[in-house]
Amino acid sequence: MTDVLNPVGENSTDVPEYPMARAAGCPFDPPPELRTKQEAGPLAKVRLWDGSMPWLVTRYADQRALLADPRVSADITRPGYPSSAPIRPGSSSISFILMDDPEHARLRRMVTAPFTIKRVEAMRPTVQKIVDDLIDDVLAGPKPVDLVEAFALPVPSLVICQLLGVPYSDHDFFQENSKTIIKRDASPDDRTAALSRLAAYLDDLVGAKLENPGDDLLSRLAERVTAGKLSRQAAAQMGVLLLIAGHETTANMIALGTLALLENPDQLAVLRESDDPKLIAGAVEELLRYLHITHNGRRRVALEDIEIAGHVIRAGDGLIMPNDIGNRDPEAFPEPDRLDLTRDARHHVAFGFGVHQCLGQPLARMELQVVYGKLYRRIPTLRLAEDLSQIPFKHDGSVYGVYRLPVTW
Amino acid sequence: MKVTIDQDKCVASGQCVTAAAEVFDQRDEDGIVVLLNANPPVELAADVRQAAVVCPALAITVDE
Ligand code: SF4
């Protein structure tokens, strides 16, 4: 039986698994099968780990429209939500990113103040100092060095710790647990255990801030707890979310971006030869578009029947909007597979779109501007210390990047 | 050009400020958008249009 509106039937046996594998030797491009689906049409069915078959939305314009559509829900507890891994309902991993308005908006607005453009710009000198000091250490240390360990991870980690009021000296502990949480093949038990450890740690910290508030985000959340506007558990959960999101993503952008630039020397030269803040800001947007380090797709469930691109998505159908393929849609970005630091890429969907768009994106942008604007000018001869084929990529996580990046100069 | 904003929809992403700081600002306490100039001059038209395009919450409307 063929439904003209939904040409791919539920019984179809050729529904591909999602997420899909990237092609060997092509570490910056989306999986070729995603590309094939995009060329074939705006919607396709995919099969998830649990056998469910949500819609894959392949085109940039449709992804943006659906992510901003109030008839679409981010609530992971709704039937039909295409979850990326087994998650226990009611577990402490359910944060406001997996809720709908008005609760989502109420909680989100409690943590937006440090991410205004003014506040982020006020942090720029601090970030510049962090970046400079770390580059000094790299230059003074032995070579080759693993750029992930020595630079890409410490930069955002130091910044988010300072913003939240988390002691950086505990970074081994929270980086270990955070790695487990975002690892795609971690068992539900391991993931739940790591989450509980982080939640307990943040709960202690919130407790300490209740007694001794400082000038940081956790102290502001502790004040809301005192005022009876937020439970202590919810405050700790927000801390967990921001701590994980704050360093995993930016760290991977720094390392993977550096690798992409080393593989595209003409583009690296653009950054090495300019200190124009506008050019650097544009280069950051293009690297965000080109690299799309969140490769598991944005996930939603339809609340009503929605007609899109001539097809009907039924209420209760799961939706996956992979930003990697959205950012490579030739209709939105001419010659999408070319890394071109001077193009206008500002409208990319690397941070998502709609009310759930990444909360930390102003901070991430600023950090990346400082990093990309400094690193290659201060170490102009930076190069890979191993062959590209030796670099281990993170195919197994919800955040894409490299496990290590051995470099020399 | 006439600009309107919807503060209830705004998610405080600050993208409008990055695109056109002469026209948009954010409240200090929660980052919600504040309109500085509802009738921006023609030199700012392209920036304001970009602000409307990149606003993730579709909280900015531009009437030409
Ligand atoms: S871009 Fe939109 S969501 Fe972001 S601050 Fe401006 S109005 Fe609010």
Side-chain angles (χ1 to χ4, degrees):
Chain A
M1 191 187 75
T2 317
D3 179 343
V4 276
L5 287 173
N6 290 338
V8 184
E10 293 279 326
N11 299 323
S12 174
T13 47
D14 57 359
V15 176
E17 301 265 343
Y18 186 88
M20 296 149 177
R22 291 177 193 242
C26 212
F28 310 118
D29 286 346
E33 211 175 346
L34 269 186
R35 180 61 55 80
T36 312
K37 291 287 173 202
Q38 184 180 57
E39 281 161 6
L43 291 173
K45 282 263 167 173
V46 287
R47 193 187 307 274
L48 298 190
W49 60 277
D50 60 356
S52 65
M53 291 198 285
W55 293 107
L56 184 79
V57 182
T58 62
R59 295 183 183 170
Y60 169 86
D62 299 331
Q63 290 186 2
R64 272 185 35 135
L66 284 167
L67 287 169
D69 193 321
R71 295 171 298 173
V72 162
S73 166
D75 180 354
I76 194 169
T77 63
R78 277 181 194 276
Y81 182 94
S83 78
S84 56
I87 287 184
R88 293 176 184 157
S91 87
S92 58
S93 62
I94 297 183
S95 70
F96 64 87
I97 56 173
L98 299 170
M99 293 175 189
D100 290 332
D101 287 345
E103 191 59 4
H104 158 263
R106 189 183 76 83
L107 293 170
R108 180 175 167 125
R109 283 185 182 201
M110 288 187 190
V111 287
T112 43
F115 301 101
T116 64
I117 300 300
K118 260 184 235 149
R119 294 277 295 275
V120 164
E121 282 308 315
M123 281 185 77
R124 191 182 283 265
T126 309
V127 174
Q128 241 143 14
K129 170 98 174 66
I130 288 174
V131 167
D132 268 328
D133 290 352
L134 284 167
I135 296 176
D136 286 343
D137 292 350
V138 166
L139 286 170
K143 50 185 173 180
V145 68
D146 174 12
L147 198 77
V148 173
E149 194 72 40
F151 184 75
L153 200 51
V155 171
S157 201
L158 280 158
V159 174
I160 197 70
C161 284
Q162 183 160 340
L163 191 143
L164 281 175
V166 169
Y168 183 71
S169 50
D170 294 337
H171 72 277
D172 280 343
F173 165 78
F174 53 73
Q175 280 167 3
E176 249 345 283
N177 286 301
S178 149
K179 257 184 225 157
T180 307
I181 292 162
I182 61 164
K183 224 174 147 196
R184 191 186 291 158
D185 59 1
S187 76
D189 285 345
D190 286 351
R191 187 177 293 123
T192 308
L195 267 169
S196 322
R197 281 192 295 270
L198 273 184
Y201 172 74
L202 264 304
D203 185 72
D204 283 350
L205 263 180
V206 171
K209 307 279 178 190
L210 282 167
E211 308 274 313
N212 275 315
D215 184 21
D216 53 58
L217 185 52
L218 281 182
S219 297
R220 299 292 85 77
L221 289 177
E223 280 165 15
R224 310 251 178 176
V225 174
T226 310
K229 296 207 168 105
L230 189 67
S231 71
R232 177 162 160 173
Q233 194 203 6
Q237 270 172 28
M238 283 200 218
V240 172
L241 171 72
L242 293 168
L243 190 58
I244 299 175
H247 67 269
E248 288 295 344
T249 44
T250 312
N252 283 293
M253 265 307 295
I254 294 172
L256 194 63
T258 298
L259 182 56
L261 289 165
L262 291 172
E263 294 296 305
N264 290 273
D266 56 322
Q267 296 300 305
L268 180 57
V270 171
L271 279 173
R272 209 191 276 130
E273 282 151 27
S274 172
D275 56 3
D276 172 8
K278 262 207 144 121
L279 183 140
I280 293 164
V284 166
E285 299 309 318
E286 169 66 351
L287 282 157
L288 285 162
R289 177 197 74 84
Y290 183 75
L291 293 172
H292 43 74
I293 52 138
T294 56
H295 63 167
N296 251 350
R298 312 280 160 179
R299 301 180 178 223
R300 299 290 187 269
V301 55
L303 296 176
E304 298 172 23
D305 290 358
I306 300 172
E307 201 185 319
I308 194 138
H311 300 260
V312 176
I313 291 162
R314 301 282 175 208
D317 283 356
L319 297 165
I320 297 182
M321 271 78 59
N323 46 309
D324 45 5
I325 198 71
N327 282 336
R328 298 286 187 102
D329 182 345
E331 305 236 333
F333 304 96
E335 289 191 76
D337 296 334
R338 205 157 57 87
L339 177 67
D340 172 4
L341 298 189
T342 59
R343 80 159 83 212
D344 175 13
R346 185 93 174 74
H347 51 296
H348 64 72
V349 284
F351 292 113
F353 198 68
V355 297
H356 287 278
Q357 191 188 56
C358 173
L359 169 76
Q361 47 90 13
L363 180 65
R365 286 190 154 107
M366 184 269 282
E367 287 179 53
L368 294 173
Q369 288 163 9
V370 174
V371 165
Y372 292 144
K374 281 251 164 171
L375 183 59
Y376 322 114
R377 285 171 77 80
R378 288 207 51 203
I379 318 182
T381 55
L382 191 77
R383 61 184 187 277
L384 271 189
E386 284 175 26
D387 195 69
L388 180 65
S389 62
Q390 304 297 307
I391 308 292
F393 289 89
K394 295 183 177 176
H395 292 290
D396 56 348
S398 51
V399 180
Y400 185 63
V402 292
Y403 283 108
R404 26 176 220 101
L405 191 66
V407 291
T408 191
W409 54 92
Chain B
M1 159 179 275
K2 179 154 172 32
V3 183
T4 36
I5 53 164
D6 184 339
Q7 289 184 321
D8 290 340
K9 278 191 181 171
C10 172
V11 295
S13 71
Q15 303 243 48
C16 52
V17 183
T18 308
E22 300 88 343
V23 179
F24 304 99
D25 197 2
Q26 290 172 285
R27 290 202 300 238
D28 286 339
E29 64 273 26
D30 57 8
I32 297 304
V33 61
V34 175
L35 189 58
L36 299 176
N37 184 352
N39 300 101
V42 62
E43 318 80 86
L44 297 177
D47 292 347
V48 172
R49 264 182 236 120
Q50 192 193 38
V53 169
V54 294
C55 171
L58 307 179
I60 300 170
T61 315
V62 177
D63 291 308
E64 303 278 343

